Amino acid sequence: NQDDIEKFVRLPYLGHTPVLPNDAEKNTQKRYSYVYTHPQSDLAESLRYIRVGINFSAPPDMLRAFAITSSIPQEGKSFCSCNLASSFALDGNRVLLVDADNRRPVLNTVFNLDNSNGLTNYLTSNTSLESVVRPTEIPNLDFVAAGPESPNPSELFLSDRTEAVPG
């Protein structure tokens, strides 16, 4: 609960997201862009609340990039990432959503894009960042796919090129 998070983790509680019923949206693409397609929903409102909490958590120049992660698969990282990114974009912010899950990338399917060119290509070659950034149907939201699977994904992030990614 909120008290446990603040007491044991020693981080502020930003909010919760309601679980969408299975029949709320069966189409994966529409579930992952639910905030965009259902801006008056409880989910959209909860993510606006979290977005405001993030915005007030630090000065704007410190909030250029953040990661959404968890300890196990299937906890909703991709779902929350897409919908939170949509919430920021719908608020007028320019957002670049990067799928950094090189082992099980899913976000490219959400945006109906192939995964053959993405973050892996940028980090391991002379590919420009601009060449892997793709627009989405959501205004102000661009996307970078994970790219081809790497034999050692954690090593990718030790690259000097990782530091050159804006944010």
Side-chain angles (χ1 to χ4, degrees):
N1 67 29
Q2 179 177 346
D3 292 334
D4 291 340
I5 290 171
E6 291 174 343
K7 180 179 176 182
F8 297 113
V9 182
R10 296 191 178 121
L11 292 172
Y13 180 80
L14 296 174
H16 70 281
T17 57
V19 176
L20 287 182
N22 285 337
D23 62 345
E25 193 60 71
K26 293 183 191 232
N27 180 309
T28 301
Q29 288 175 298
K30 291 182 180 177
R31 281 182 77 82
Y32 282 63
S33 60
Y34 200 82
V35 166
Y36 178 63
T37 58
H38 298 84
Q40 302 305 316
S41 66
D42 289 343
L43 177 67
E45 182 60 29
S46 69
L47 287 169
R48 281 192 290 273
Y49 183 84
I50 292 170
R51 184 191 75 225
V52 168
I54 291 169
N55 283 337
F56 283 113
S57 68
D61 60 320
M62 292 181 65
L63 295 173
R64 294 182 47 96
F66 53 93
I68 296 177
T69 189
S70 73
S71 59
I72 60 174
Q74 300 294 312
E75 283 193 318
K77 297 175 293 291
S78 299
F79 176 80
C80 286
S81 297
C82 283
N83 280 292
L84 188 58
S86 296
S87 182
F88 272 98
L90 292 171
D91 192 41
N93 299 287
R94 288 188 59 213
V95 177
L96 178 61
L97 178 61
V98 179
D99 188 348
D101 188 343
N102 191 253
R103 290 190 176 110
R104 286 179 225 86
V106 67
L107 297 183
N108 61 294
T109 60
V110 170
F111 296 111
N112 202 25
L113 298 167
D114 71 272
N115 194 40
S116 63
N117 191 26
L119 185 61
T120 303
N121 304 83
Y122 171 75
L123 294 175
T124 61
S125 68
N126 289 329
T127 302
S128 70
L129 183 60
E130 294 77 21
S131 70
V132 297
V133 174
R134 300 173 188 156
T136 70
E137 69 177 27
I138 301 168
N140 298 319
L141 178 59
D142 291 328
F143 171 69
V144 174
E149 187 172 353
S150 169
N152 194 348
S154 60
E155 293 294 320
L156 289 175
F157 297 102
L158 298 176
S159 157
D160 291 338
R161 294 198 61 155
T162 302
E163 291 182 27
V165 176

